[in-house]
Amino acid sequence: MCGISGIYGKIADGRARVAAMTQALSHRGPDAEGIFVDSEVTLGHRRLSVIDLSEASNQPMSDVTGRYTLVFNGEIYNFKNLRATLGSHTFRTTGDTEVLLAGLMRWGAAFLKECNGMFAFGFWDAQKRELLLGRDRLGIKPLYYARSDDKLIFSSEIRSLLKSGLIPKSINKSVLGEYLRYQTVNGSNTLVDGVFTLPPGSVMTVNEDEERIDTYWDLARSAETGGVPKTYTDTTNLVRTRFEKAVERRLVSDVPFGAFLSGGIDSSAIVGVAAGLSSQALRTFTVTFDEAEFSEAQYARMVAEKFQTDHNEIRLSPKALIENLPAAIAAMDHPSGDGINTYVVSKAAKEAGITMVLSGLGGDELFAGYPIFQQISELQNKKWLLSFPSFMRRAMGSARAMAVPGVASEKITQVICE
């Protein structure tokens, strides 16, 4: 995890402002820092070294001519294969940052379609006087931006944007209700008025003449519709092959790594594959609770024993939770309902000397693990409901919401009313 920041637009004290922004990201990148200044852009970077630990991979990174400069947060999993396609480029490092720099130099934003990874970046072309801001396909790495007069400010975190001194600290009241209901804010909005997230799979182009956002990848449009396996066995074999490959890609690291292990299916499956690929005992971490009904420690232990991991349990008592709460809340830049557990287990992993960890987050969304997915499937088998007029469907949805209050009822109402 690194941190990037910058200001596009002429400003006399750009270096000082970006230095303050970059300092606010120091927890994301303790290994190195750097600032690049041009007449119309100032770029900042904080580095957490994961691949190619040498100083040559520090950022901001410029090409030998000085025309192009990159600040980058994330990892390009297939960077070695991409490097081979850039054979004419003379590389000075062995990491993925220079591969991204070289690819953007040669093909521009089109290169992102070839990148398999999680990333956010700022790419400056001094000849065109143009800035590109990009984000990975699913928006795993954050990238926030805001406008102030004729300036565009961007960063990996909202707190860093606010440190620029160019953005008012004002709550976005239009989405406050949404956050209180769902514990998150959807779309490009944030809880800070005037601050937005760059959409996943998108690139923002900023120059003297325009500011636009283009989509280079979309989940729905990119879904594979042909070659779907015919049988259950074929389907599970295909999923297993792709799953194992996905885990393998994420184990490319020049620093110690581990895994979060909750005892659930998603993290347990990841630990099983990673342990088989690792040449030494995999370090695993789980949060346990004094209250047995909330603790999955026994299941995590079973998985750890099966795959012979170096298992670490972090007991979170009510007292410890209260003690960690202020720091955990302060660490959540875009607050969510489940960030505290992640903070506690991440802190323990870092104190154990682990720089990179694998997590099962996203498994329920990808493999339809929540009850709402089953309910939607059941609704699909009751398409006759859609034959009723919309006002009747709304009435049915409202009746269900009153009888069974909750987010699930609200989502079902949305489905039958659309």
Side-chain angles (χ1 to χ4, degrees):
M1 181 174 70
C2 299
I4 64 174
S5 60
I7 300 174
Y8 173 85
K10 293 183 179 180
I11 183 169
D13 54 351
R15 176 180 285 274
R17 291 183 186 272
V18 171
M21 294 171 66
T22 304
Q23 178 58 35
L25 300 172
S26 59
H27 57 284
R28 297 181 68 94
D31 297 327
E33 63 179 314
I35 294 178
F36 168 84
V37 181
D38 202 340
S39 59
E40 290 148 272
V41 72
T42 307
L43 305 175
H45 188 267
R46 292 289 308 215
R47 184 185 182 196
L48 177 68
S49 303
V50 174
I51 298 176
D52 187 354
L53 309 185
S54 70
E55 293 185 2
S57 282
N58 288 348
Q59 300 179 47
M61 180 180 288
S62 299
D63 73 311
V64 292
T65 69
R67 172 178 171 177
Y68 304 100
T69 302
L70 174 72
V71 285
F72 161 61
N73 166 37
E75 186 173 350
I76 309 296
Y77 302 129
N78 61 334
F79 78 95
K80 292 182 179 179
N81 292 334
L82 294 176
R83 180 181 176 123
T85 68
L86 294 160
S88 62
H89 183 89
T90 302
F91 286 92
R92 297 168 289 165
T93 69
T94 60
D96 54 349
T97 301
E98 191 176 8
V99 171
L100 179 59
L101 173 64
L104 291 171
M105 288 166 52
R106 182 173 297 186
W107 292 297
F111 180 66
L112 300 179
K113 296 179 181 179
E114 309 301 321
C115 294
N116 185 331
M118 54 178 184
F119 53 83
F121 67 84
F123 176 72
W124 173 244
D125 184 336
Q127 182 173 309
K128 287 186 176 180
R129 316 308 294 173
E130 183 175 89
L131 175 69
L132 295 183
L133 300 179
R135 199 172 177 204
D136 64 72
R137 298 178 181 185
L138 296 180
I140 299 172
K141 288 300 182 181
L143 188 59
Y144 301 95
Y145 70 92
R147 301 172 184 84
S148 177
D149 297 327
D150 58 345
K151 301 171 189 62
L152 182 82
I153 307 99
F154 70 91
S155 184
S156 298
E157 296 186 3
I158 294 176
R159 79 190 74 211
S160 173
L161 286 179
L162 298 178
K163 284 293 184 179
S164 70
L166 299 172
I167 303 166
K169 299 178 180 180
S170 178
I171 292 178
N172 184 357
K173 296 180 180 178
S174 66
V175 299
L176 186 57
E178 181 181 337
Y179 171 72
L180 294 175
R181 290 174 69 189
Y182 302 116
Q183 301 180 24
T184 189
V185 177
N186 294 304
S188 296
N189 288 307
T190 72
L191 279 171
V192 180
D193 193 29
V195 175
F196 304 91
T197 63
L198 185 67
S202 297
V203 174
M204 175 185 284
T205 303
V206 188
N207 55 45
E208 184 179 1
D209 300 319
E210 64 174 345
E211 177 187 311
R212 73 174 193 272
I213 296 178
D214 299 307
T215 300
Y216 69 86
W217 189 88
D218 178 80
L219 177 60
R221 292 201 300 266
S222 302
E224 295 182 9
T225 56
V228 178
K230 301 291 185 182
T231 68
Y232 177 80
T233 300
D234 290 341
T235 300
T236 54
N237 287 339
L238 178 61
V239 170
R240 183 185 183 98
T241 298
R242 293 192 175 184
F243 178 71
E244 291 176 345
K245 186 63 177 178
V247 174
E248 183 180 13
R249 287 193 183 108
R250 285 155 179 79
L251 295 181
V252 178
S253 172
D254 293 330
V255 295
F257 62 85
F260 295 152
L261 177 58
S262 68
I265 294 174
D266 44 13
S267 64
S268 299
I270 290 172
V271 166
V273 174
L277 294 170
S278 179
S279 60
Q280 54 189 3
L282 182 68
R283 301 285 298 277
T284 54
F285 301 83
T286 187
V287 174
T288 67
F289 304 94
D290 293 333
E291 298 81 6
E293 64 269 27
F294 298 116
S295 180
E296 297 180 333
Q298 59 177 324
Y299 306 112
R301 290 190 205 109
M302 291 170 60
V303 175
E305 290 174 5
K306 177 176 178 59
F307 296 107
Q308 300 180 341
T309 72
D310 179 358
H311 192 52
N312 301 264
E313 292 186 0
I314 304 98
R315 182 166 294 277
L316 186 59
S317 65
K319 180 181 179 182
L321 175 62
I322 296 300
E323 291 174 349
N324 279 278
L325 192 58
I329 292 175
M332 287 190 288
D333 191 61
H334 197 175
S336 66
D338 59 356
I340 296 175
N341 285 355
T342 301
Y343 173 84
V344 172
V345 71
S346 298
K347 179 181 178 184
K350 185 62 178 177
E351 291 173 349
I354 301 297
T355 300
M356 185 191 79
V357 293
L358 301 177
S359 167
L361 289 176
D364 284 316
E365 289 78 6
L366 183 61
F367 290 101
Y370 294 123
I372 185 63
F373 289 107
Q374 182 177 352
Q375 293 163 352
I376 290 174
S377 177
E378 292 171 354
L379 283 173
Q380 291 295 323
N381 296 326
K382 299 176 181 177
K383 292 185 177 179
W384 52 268
L385 286 171
L386 300 179
S387 64
F388 289 95
S390 59
F391 75 90
M392 292 184 66
R393 283 182 273 138
R394 284 194 294 271
M396 287 188 289
S398 298
R400 177 186 169 84
M402 292 179 64
V404 188
V407 174
S409 291
E410 294 175 2
K411 291 181 177 178
I412 289 174
T413 300
Q414 292 174 1
V415 172
I416 66 174
C417 291
E418 288 181 353

PDB file of all heavy atoms in Angstrom, residues 161-183:
ATOM      1  N   LEU A 161      -6.514  15.106   0.910  1.00  0.00           N
ATOM      2  CA  LEU A 161      -7.104  16.200   0.133  1.00  0.00           C
ATOM      3  C   LEU A 161      -7.354  17.417   1.008  1.00  0.00           C
ATOM      4  O   LEU A 161      -7.067  18.559   0.622  1.00  0.00           O
ATOM      5  CB  LEU A 161      -8.425  15.757  -0.503  1.00  0.00           C
ATOM      6  CG  LEU A 161      -8.389  14.814  -1.700  1.00  0.00           C
ATOM      7  CD1 LEU A 161      -9.806  14.487  -2.134  1.00  0.00           C
ATOM      8  CD2 LEU A 161      -7.620  15.429  -2.855  1.00  0.00           C
ATOM      9  N   LEU A 162      -7.897  17.182   2.187  1.00  0.00           N
ATOM     10  CA  LEU A 162      -8.209  18.292   3.088  1.00  0.00           C
ATOM     11  C   LEU A 162      -6.948  19.016   3.553  1.00  0.00           C
ATOM     12  O   LEU A 162      -6.972  20.224   3.828  1.00  0.00           O
ATOM     13  CB  LEU A 162      -8.995  17.772   4.288  1.00  0.00           C
ATOM     14  CG  LEU A 162     -10.363  17.140   3.966  1.00  0.00           C
ATOM     15  CD1 LEU A 162     -11.019  16.608   5.238  1.00  0.00           C
ATOM     16  CD2 LEU A 162     -11.273  18.156   3.282  1.00  0.00           C
ATOM     17  N   LYS A 163      -5.827  18.295   3.642  1.00  0.00           N
ATOM     18  CA  LYS A 163      -4.568  18.919   4.053  1.00  0.00           C
ATOM     19  C   LYS A 163      -4.027  19.895   3.011  1.00  0.00           C
ATOM     20  O   LYS A 163      -3.139  20.687   3.303  1.00  0.00           O
ATOM     21  CB  LYS A 163      -3.520  17.830   4.323  1.00  0.00           C
ATOM     22  CG  LYS A 163      -3.703  17.099   5.636  1.00  0.00           C
ATOM     23  CD  LYS A 163      -3.470  18.008   6.832  1.00  0.00           C
ATOM     24  CE  LYS A 163      -3.558  17.247   8.135  1.00  0.00           C
ATOM     25  NZ  LYS A 163      -3.299  18.127   9.311  1.00  0.00           N
ATOM     26  N   SER A 164      -4.586  19.848   1.790  1.00  0.00           N
ATOM     27  CA  SER A 164      -4.150  20.807   0.774  1.00  0.00           C
ATOM     28  C   SER A 164      -4.539  22.228   1.137  1.00  0.00           C
ATOM     29  O   SER A 164      -3.952  23.190   0.633  1.00  0.00           O
ATOM     30  CB  SER A 164      -4.762  20.442  -0.582  1.00  0.00           C
ATOM     31  OG  SER A 164      -6.170  20.691  -0.588  1.00  0.00           O
ATOM     32  N   GLY A 165      -5.539  22.359   1.992  1.00  0.00           N
ATOM     33  CA  GLY A 165      -6.022  23.691   2.366  1.00  0.00           C
ATOM     34  C   GLY A 165      -6.884  24.344   1.296  1.00  0.00           C
ATOM     35  O   GLY A 165      -7.263  25.503   1.426  1.00  0.00           O
ATOM     36  N   LEU A 166      -7.201  23.597   0.243  1.00  0.00           N
ATOM     37  CA  LEU A 166      -7.977  24.152  -0.871  1.00  0.00           C
ATOM     38  C   LEU A 166      -9.428  23.678  -0.872  1.00  0.00           C
ATOM     39  O   LEU A 166     -10.230  24.154  -1.691  1.00  0.00           O
ATOM     40  CB  LEU A 166      -7.325  23.739  -2.201  1.00  0.00           C
ATOM     41  CG  LEU A 166      -5.894  24.227  -2.422  1.00  0.00           C
ATOM     42  CD1 LEU A 166      -5.304  23.583  -3.677  1.00  0.00           C
ATOM     43  CD2 LEU A 166      -5.861  25.753  -2.549  1.00  0.00           C
ATOM     44  N   ILE A 167      -9.771  22.759   0.045  1.00  0.00           N
ATOM     45  CA  ILE A 167     -11.112  22.161   0.043  1.00  0.00           C
ATOM     46  C   ILE A 167     -11.792  22.417   1.386  1.00  0.00           C
ATOM     47  O   ILE A 167     -11.247  22.071   2.438  1.00  0.00           O
ATOM     48  CB  ILE A 167     -11.017  20.643  -0.211  1.00  0.00           C
ATOM     49  CG1 ILE A 167     -10.284  20.375  -1.523  1.00  0.00           C
ATOM     50  CG2 ILE A 167     -12.402  20.013  -0.228  1.00  0.00           C
ATOM     51  CD1 ILE A 167      -9.847  18.958  -1.683  1.00  0.00           C
ATOM     52  N   PRO A 168     -12.978  23.014   1.377  1.00  0.00           N
ATOM     53  CA  PRO A 168     -13.703  23.251   2.629  1.00  0.00           C
ATOM     54  C   PRO A 168     -14.069  21.938   3.316  1.00  0.00           C
ATOM     55  O   PRO A 168     -14.406  20.955   2.661  1.00  0.00           O
ATOM     56  CB  PRO A 168     -14.971  23.997   2.169  1.00  0.00           C
ATOM     57  CG  PRO A 168     -14.648  24.532   0.815  1.00  0.00           C
ATOM     58  CD  PRO A 168     -13.694  23.554   0.211  1.00  0.00           C
ATOM     59  N   LYS A 169     -14.020  21.932   4.638  1.00  0.00           N
ATOM     60  CA  LYS A 169     -14.388  20.747   5.412  1.00  0.00           C
ATOM     61  C   LYS A 169     -15.884  20.809   5.697  1.00  0.00           C
ATOM     62  O   LYS A 169     -16.317  21.290   6.741  1.00  0.00           O
ATOM     63  CB  LYS A 169     -13.579  20.676   6.705  1.00  0.00           C
ATOM     64  CG  LYS A 169     -12.080  20.570   6.486  1.00  0.00           C
ATOM     65  CD  LYS A 169     -11.323  20.548   7.805  1.00  0.00           C
ATOM     66  CE  LYS A 169      -9.816  20.447   7.584  1.00  0.00           C
ATOM     67  NZ  LYS A 169      -9.060  20.431   8.873  1.00  0.00           N
ATOM     68  N   SER A 170     -16.648  20.294   4.742  1.00  0.00           N
ATOM     69  CA  SER A 170     -18.104  20.384   4.825  1.00  0.00           C
ATOM     70  C   SER A 170     -18.730  19.019   4.538  1.00  0.00           C
ATOM     71  O   SER A 170     -18.359  18.351   3.560  1.00  0.00           O
ATOM     72  CB  SER A 170     -18.629  21.420   3.827  1.00  0.00           C
ATOM     73  OG  SER A 170     -20.036  21.486   3.861  1.00  0.00           O
ATOM     74  N   ILE A 171     -19.680  18.594   5.365  1.00  0.00           N
ATOM     75  CA  ILE A 171     -20.339  17.296   5.185  1.00  0.00           C
ATOM     76  C   ILE A 171     -21.285  17.347   3.989  1.00  0.00           C
ATOM     77  O   ILE A 171     -22.004  18.327   3.781  1.00  0.00           O
ATOM     78  CB  ILE A 171     -21.120  16.902   6.449  1.00  0.00           C
ATOM     79  CG1 ILE A 171     -20.152  16.609   7.593  1.00  0.00           C
ATOM     80  CG2 ILE A 171     -21.996  15.672   6.192  1.00  0.00           C
ATOM     81  CD1 ILE A 171     -20.831  16.247   8.894  1.00  0.00           C
ATOM     82  N   ASN A 172     -21.274  16.288   3.218  1.00  0.00           N
ATOM     83  CA  ASN A 172     -22.188  16.138   2.087  1.00  0.00           C
ATOM     84  C   ASN A 172     -23.521  15.632   2.631  1.00  0.00           C
ATOM     85  O   ASN A 172     -23.739  14.423   2.750  1.00  0.00           O
ATOM     86  CB  ASN A 172     -21.602  15.166   1.064  1.00  0.00           C
ATOM     87  CG  ASN A 172     -22.444  15.044  -0.178  1.00  0.00           C
ATOM     88  OD1 ASN A 172     -23.523  15.639  -0.273  1.00  0.00           O
ATOM     89  ND2 ASN A 172     -21.981  14.274  -1.141  1.00  0.00           N
ATOM     90  N   LYS A 173     -24.416  16.530   2.966  1.00  0.00           N
ATOM     91  CA  LYS A 173     -25.668  16.161   3.620  1.00  0.00           C
ATOM     92  C   LYS A 173     -26.570  15.333   2.715  1.00  0.00           C
ATOM     93  O   LYS A 173     -27.430  14.585   3.205  1.00  0.00           O
ATOM     94  CB  LYS A 173     -26.396  17.418   4.081  1.00  0.00           C
ATOM     95  CG  LYS A 173     -25.642  18.207   5.145  1.00  0.00           C
ATOM     96  CD  LYS A 173     -26.396  19.454   5.568  1.00  0.00           C
ATOM     97  CE  LYS A 173     -25.621  20.230   6.629  1.00  0.00           C
ATOM     98  NZ  LYS A 173     -26.334  21.475   7.023  1.00  0.00           N
ATOM     99  N   SER A 174     -26.396  15.429   1.411  1.00  0.00           N
ATOM    100  CA  SER A 174     -27.271  14.693   0.485  1.00  0.00           C
ATOM    101  C   SER A 174     -27.084  13.177   0.573  1.00  0.00           C
ATOM    102  O   SER A 174     -27.965  12.415   0.167  1.00  0.00           O
ATOM    103  CB  SER A 174     -27.029  15.158  -0.949  1.00  0.00           C
ATOM    104  OG  SER A 174     -25.730  14.806  -1.387  1.00  0.00           O
ATOM    105  N   VAL A 175     -25.933  12.723   1.094  1.00  0.00           N
ATOM    106  CA  VAL A 175     -25.686  11.278   1.188  1.00  0.00           C
ATOM    107  C   VAL A 175     -25.576  10.808   2.636  1.00  0.00           C
ATOM    108  O   VAL A 175     -25.301   9.628   2.869  1.00  0.00           O
ATOM    109  CB  VAL A 175     -24.403  10.881   0.421  1.00  0.00           C
ATOM    110  CG1 VAL A 175     -24.520  11.222  -1.054  1.00  0.00           C
ATOM    111  CG2 VAL A 175     -23.171  11.554   1.031  1.00  0.00           C
ATOM    112  N   LEU A 176     -25.801  11.699   3.582  1.00  0.00           N
ATOM    113  CA  LEU A 176     -25.675  11.328   4.987  1.00  0.00           C
ATOM    114  C   LEU A 176     -26.683  10.245   5.359  1.00  0.00           C
ATOM    115  O   LEU A 176     -26.357   9.281   6.062  1.00  0.00           O
ATOM    116  CB  LEU A 176     -25.839  12.555   5.876  1.00  0.00           C
ATOM    117  CG  LEU A 176     -25.599  12.354   7.372  1.00  0.00           C
ATOM    118  CD1 LEU A 176     -24.205  11.792   7.626  1.00  0.00           C
ATOM    119  CD2 LEU A 176     -25.796  13.665   8.126  1.00  0.00           C
ATOM    120  N   GLY A 177     -27.919  10.388   4.877  1.00  0.00           N
ATOM    121  CA  GLY A 177     -28.940   9.390   5.158  1.00  0.00           C
ATOM    122  C   GLY A 177     -28.572   8.037   4.584  1.00  0.00           C
ATOM    123  O   GLY A 177     -28.792   6.986   5.205  1.00  0.00           O
ATOM    124  N   GLU A 178     -27.989   8.044   3.390  1.00  0.00           N
ATOM    125  CA  GLU A 178     -27.559   6.800   2.747  1.00  0.00           C
ATOM    126  C   GLU A 178     -26.491   6.103   3.584  1.00  0.00           C
ATOM    127  O   GLU A 178     -26.529   4.877   3.758  1.00  0.00           O
ATOM    128  CB  GLU A 178     -27.014   7.118   1.359  1.00  0.00           C
ATOM    129  CG  GLU A 178     -26.542   5.920   0.564  1.00  0.00           C
ATOM    130  CD  GLU A 178     -25.998   6.310  -0.803  1.00  0.00           C
ATOM    131  OE1 GLU A 178     -26.370   7.383  -1.315  1.00  0.00           O
ATOM    132  OE2 GLU A 178     -25.199   5.541  -1.342  1.00  0.00           O
ATOM    133  N   TYR A 179     -25.548   6.878   4.118  1.00  0.00           N
ATOM    134  CA  TYR A 179     -24.504   6.289   4.947  1.00  0.00           C
ATOM    135  C   TYR A 179     -25.080   5.685   6.229  1.00  0.00           C
ATOM    136  O   TYR A 179     -24.713   4.576   6.636  1.00  0.00           O
ATOM    137  CB  TYR A 179     -23.445   7.339   5.308  1.00  0.00           C
ATOM    138  CG  TYR A 179     -22.468   6.818   6.338  1.00  0.00           C
ATOM    139  CD1 TYR A 179     -21.521   5.861   5.998  1.00  0.00           C
ATOM    140  CD2 TYR A 179     -22.533   7.250   7.663  1.00  0.00           C
ATOM    141  CE1 TYR A 179     -20.654   5.348   6.953  1.00  0.00           C
ATOM    142  CE2 TYR A 179     -21.671   6.739   8.617  1.00  0.00           C
ATOM    143  CZ  TYR A 179     -20.729   5.789   8.263  1.00  0.00           C
ATOM    144  OH  TYR A 179     -19.879   5.274   9.206  1.00  0.00           O
ATOM    145  N   LEU A 180     -25.996   6.400   6.882  1.00  0.00           N
ATOM    146  CA  LEU A 180     -26.575   5.917   8.126  1.00  0.00           C
ATOM    147  C   LEU A 180     -27.407   4.651   7.906  1.00  0.00           C
ATOM    148  O   LEU A 180     -27.523   3.808   8.794  1.00  0.00           O
ATOM    149  CB  LEU A 180     -27.426   7.016   8.767  1.00  0.00           C
ATOM    150  CG  LEU A 180     -26.649   8.246   9.252  1.00  0.00           C
ATOM    151  CD1 LEU A 180     -27.597   9.317   9.754  1.00  0.00           C
ATOM    152  CD2 LEU A 180     -25.652   7.863  10.351  1.00  0.00           C
ATOM    153  N   ARG A 181     -27.985   4.503   6.722  1.00  0.00           N
ATOM    154  CA  ARG A 181     -28.806   3.319   6.430  1.00  0.00           C
ATOM    155  C   ARG A 181     -27.956   2.118   6.023  1.00  0.00           C
ATOM    156  O   ARG A 181     -28.214   0.994   6.437  1.00  0.00           O
ATOM    157  CB  ARG A 181     -29.791   3.625   5.303  1.00  0.00           C
ATOM    158  CG  ARG A 181     -30.893   4.592   5.690  1.00  0.00           C
ATOM    159  CD  ARG A 181     -31.735   4.963   4.485  1.00  0.00           C
ATOM    160  NE  ARG A 181     -32.539   3.837   4.016  1.00  0.00           N
ATOM    161  CZ  ARG A 181     -33.224   3.862   2.869  1.00  0.00           C
ATOM    162  NH1 ARG A 181     -33.173   4.931   2.083  1.00  0.00           N
ATOM    163  NH2 ARG A 181     -33.951   2.820   2.514  1.00  0.00           N
ATOM    164  N   TYR A 182     -26.925   2.352   5.195  1.00  0.00           N
ATOM    165  CA  TYR A 182     -26.170   1.253   4.611  1.00  0.00           C
ATOM    166  C   TYR A 182     -24.722   1.164   5.089  1.00  0.00           C
ATOM    167  O   TYR A 182     -23.975   0.281   4.652  1.00  0.00           O
ATOM    168  CB  TYR A 182     -26.183   1.365   3.084  1.00  0.00           C
ATOM    169  CG  TYR A 182     -27.572   1.376   2.506  1.00  0.00           C
ATOM    170  CD1 TYR A 182     -28.052   2.501   1.830  1.00  0.00           C
ATOM    171  CD2 TYR A 182     -28.414   0.270   2.628  1.00  0.00           C
ATOM    172  CE1 TYR A 182     -29.348   2.527   1.304  1.00  0.00           C
ATOM    173  CE2 TYR A 182     -29.697   0.285   2.093  1.00  0.00           C
ATOM    174  CZ  TYR A 182     -30.159   1.410   1.443  1.00  0.00           C
ATOM    175  OH  TYR A 182     -31.418   1.432   0.919  1.00  0.00           O
ATOM    176  N   GLN A 183     -24.289   2.099   5.927  1.00  0.00           N
ATOM    177  CA  GLN A 183     -22.925   2.141   6.453  1.00  0.00           C
ATOM    178  C   GLN A 183     -21.889   2.363   5.353  1.00  0.00           C
ATOM    179  O   GLN A 183     -20.713   2.018   5.507  1.00  0.00           O
ATOM    180  CB  GLN A 183     -22.603   0.861   7.220  1.00  0.00           C
ATOM    181  CG  GLN A 183     -23.533   0.621   8.386  1.00  0.00           C
ATOM    182  CD  GLN A 183     -23.208  -0.641   9.154  1.00  0.00           C
ATOM    183  OE1 GLN A 183     -22.085  -1.125   9.131  1.00  0.00           O
ATOM    184  NE2 GLN A 183     -24.186  -1.194   9.846  1.00  0.00           N
TER     185      GLN A 183
END
